[in-house]
Amino acid sequence: MKWIRYEHGFRSIHQGMAITGVFFIFAFIYLQVWLAACFAAVFAMLAFQNIYFSKVGQHLSVTFRAKQKRILIGEREELVLEFENGTVPIWNGTLTISLEDAVAPSSDNKRHYSGIYDLTVPFAIGGNKKVEIRIPLEGKKRGLSRVTRVMLEIPHLFGDGFVHMELNEPIYYQSLVYPRVTSLGRELKSSPYKPGETELKQSLFQDEFQPIGTREYIPTDRFDHIHWTASARMQKLQTKEFLPVSSQSVVLMMNAIEKDRGFLDFEKKVERLVSYADYCMKNDIPYSVAINIRSFGAKPYLLLPSGSGKVQFQKVMVMLAKISDKHAKLPFEEMLRHMESHGQLPQTVVLISHENDRVKALAKQWIKRYEVILDNSHERNERIWDNQHMKKTGTDSTYLNA
């Protein structure tokens, strides 16, 4: 494994060896046997220290038992590091691990600054031995936490010098802290502007243009629905699964641009989005998610295609754990117009955004064709505006308590 080494105090060792060697020669010339023996012992001690610290840590390697952990806020996990050493043992070392502050170490030997936790633990390992270090962590806030740096400091046995080693290889470990899940507190209604009198959430039909996964093959499956690539990977026949055709489907669109002087506005919007996703999962309603954070590809924003069930909810939680308010953003109105022009709006549209005259004007145009919910309950006044109440009052500026 590649380590960057910084050595401090070797110059004083070399100077001490040179001075001790000179005094040993003079003592030997003047036949001072005991004095020469003392200088020889000091010279041997300094030489041993010089050889030891020139070779220590050269064959030390570290691996992380898991590449990724997923936890909720307040839950605990363990960061497990496995060290394997070469022939030279390491004594009295200090291990320092730096990780981003979405998780916090459950220890007093830590320092926090600029979004990073520095944790120090004692470290020692024998020659040709393996050591496992477990560090308890706790989820503190929604986000992605990576181990950014691993350092090891080995002090000199005699003197005030040390060898400082820093890992110079990519560290493939991260903790995903999912956002907090709260109850939605309202019911989602399908659009009234469609044929039929009965509202259905399930159908015997499937949309073959929207595959959502695979499952094991059963004899009644159609031959053209077999997923051959997945079958070769799993060494058993796999059948494609498609999104069920439903009379009620939802798109959840979140405005990642924070309101002026809005404290934790972004995090509150994320929690509100999770509440809608949780409601859709429990009621088996297909839904998609769009966030105006810039992305590469045909669509310049984050878009999770429509799906349902626990698999879709898991995808939403992973996506929300990875985004940040520091990412580049697209104007919210531009994303809305892009989705409308490409025919990506289902029967129910949920806009999670702070109050905005341009967004309200655009939503007012959509209520003639869709069920539109402009949700700004993340703000202090906790209000939700929708077209059902607007039809009753005959105005577009009336709000309902969430």
Side-chain angles (χ1 to χ4, degrees):
M1 234 170 167
K2 295 182 180 178
W3 295 83
I4 301 176
R5 292 172 62 94
Y6 305 94
E7 299 174 349
H8 176 74
F10 277 80
R11 183 176 179 180
S12 60
I13 294 177
H14 297 158
Q15 291 176 348
M17 291 175 62
I19 295 172
T20 306
V22 171
F23 279 105
F24 169 78
I25 294 174
F26 278 105
F28 184 78
I29 292 175
Y30 290 101
L31 301 178
Q32 300 294 325
V33 179
W34 290 105
L35 189 60
C38 292
F39 284 125
V42 173
F43 182 86
M45 179 183 64
L46 294 176
F48 168 77
Q49 179 165 272
N50 183 64
I51 296 173
Y52 170 76
F53 282 101
S54 64
K55 296 182 177 296
V56 68
Q58 287 186 351
H59 302 286
L60 181 67
S61 62
V62 57
T63 56
F64 292 84
R65 177 170 295 182
K67 302 300 181 183
Q68 187 180 80
K69 292 289 187 70
R70 297 180 173 92
I71 60 174
L72 295 173
I73 297 176
E75 287 188 350
R76 295 180 178 271
E77 62 159 325
E78 276 191 334
L79 172 61
V80 182
L81 296 87
E82 296 178 346
F83 289 87
E84 185 174 358
N85 193 25
T87 56
V88 181
I90 298 176
W91 301 311
N92 198 29
T94 301
L95 181 68
T96 303
I97 301 173
S98 300
L99 65 159
E100 296 171 340
D101 63 353
V103 297
S106 302
S107 172
D108 296 332
N109 298 326
K110 63 184 178 183
R111 292 178 296 173
H112 182 253
Y113 58 92
S114 301
I116 298 291
Y117 277 108
D118 275 355
L119 173 67
T120 58
V121 295
F123 183 83
I125 185 172
N128 298 318
K129 298 292 185 179
K130 293 182 179 180
V131 168
E132 183 181 271
I133 294 181
R134 295 176 174 269
I135 301 174
L137 303 175
E138 181 181 359
K140 286 297 183 182
K141 63 179 183 180
R142 179 204 61 83
L144 175 64
S145 177
R146 299 183 182 91
V147 176
T148 59
R149 189 168 55 175
V150 176
M151 298 179 295
L152 178 62
E153 185 175 299
I154 309 171
H156 284 179
L157 300 177
F158 311 102
D160 58 351
F162 60 85
V163 174
H164 186 92
M165 300 171 54
E166 182 176 347
L167 188 62
N168 191 29
E169 289 189 359
I171 301 174
Y172 300 105
Y173 176 84
Q174 60 184 12
S175 296
L176 290 176
V177 183
Y178 289 158
R180 187 176 288 104
V181 181
T182 57
S183 176
L184 179 60
R186 72 189 314 269
E187 182 180 358
L188 291 179
K189 298 181 179 180
S190 59
S191 174
Y193 306 107
K194 63 180 187 295
E197 298 180 355
T198 305
E199 182 177 319
L200 298 176
K201 296 178 183 177
Q202 297 289 343
S203 173
L204 298 177
F205 304 99
Q206 294 180 331
D207 187 354
E208 297 187 5
F209 292 99
Q210 298 192 53
I212 58 174
T214 60
R215 57 173 173 80
E216 291 190 8
Y217 173 83
I218 58 177
T220 56
D221 289 337
R222 292 171 49 178
F223 184 77
D224 58 339
H225 284 178
I226 296 178
H227 196 300
W228 296 108
T229 303
S231 300
R233 184 170 60 251
M234 300 293 294
Q235 296 297 310
K236 61 176 67 174
L237 288 177
Q238 299 289 307
T239 303
K240 299 177 184 176
E241 279 192 314
F242 302 98
L243 186 68
V245 177
S246 172
S247 64
Q248 183 178 12
S249 58
V250 181
V251 59
L252 308 176
M253 291 187 278
M254 191 189 89
N255 186 2
I257 299 177
E258 293 186 324
K259 185 179 180 181
D260 294 339
R261 299 179 300 278
F263 180 67
L264 296 178
D265 181 69
F266 183 85
E267 298 298 330
K268 294 176 182 177
K269 289 176 182 176
V270 169
E271 291 185 5
R272 193 61 181 168
L273 176 59
V274 173
S275 300
Y276 278 97
D278 179 63
Y279 175 88
C280 293
M281 178 192 67
K282 292 178 179 178
N283 292 273
D284 202 19
I285 301 174
Y287 64 99
S288 58
V289 177
I291 304 175
N292 61 328
I293 291 178
R294 288 194 177 273
S295 177
F296 297 100
K299 299 178 179 61
Y301 48 85
L302 291 180
L303 177 64
L304 182 65
S306 183
S308 60
K310 295 183 178 179
V311 175
Q312 179 73 354
F313 187 72
Q314 176 78 8
K315 293 178 181 178
V316 172
M317 297 292 275
V318 171
M319 181 178 71
L320 295 179
K322 293 183 177 181
I323 63 175
S324 170
D325 58 340
K326 298 179 178 63
H327 291 160
K329 304 176 182 66
L330 191 73
F332 191 53
E333 301 81 6
E334 184 176 337
M335 184 184 74
L336 301 185
R337 294 191 183 94
H338 185 277
M339 295 192 67
E340 182 185 22
S341 61
H342 286 72
Q344 296 176 335
L345 295 181
Q347 292 88 356
T348 304
V349 178
V350 178
L351 307 177
I352 303 174
S353 174
H354 51 269
E355 287 189 33
N356 187 314
D357 293 337
R358 290 173 295 179
V359 175
K360 289 168 60 177
L362 189 58
K364 185 178 179 181
Q365 301 175 7
W366 289 355
I367 62 175
K368 299 177 182 179
R369 293 171 292 169
Y370 313 104
E371 176 78 10
V372 181
I373 299 174
L374 179 57
D375 189 330
N376 63 342
S377 60
H378 56 275
E379 295 183 311
R380 197 185 322 177
N381 52 6
E382 295 189 349
R383 296 178 292 183
I384 293 181
W385 171 82
D386 63 9
N387 57 335
Q388 292 292 333
H389 190 271
M390 185 177 124
K391 289 201 309 181
K392 294 179 182 179
T393 60
T395 177
D396 63 344
S397 59
T398 305
Y399 296 85
L400 293 175
N401 291 329

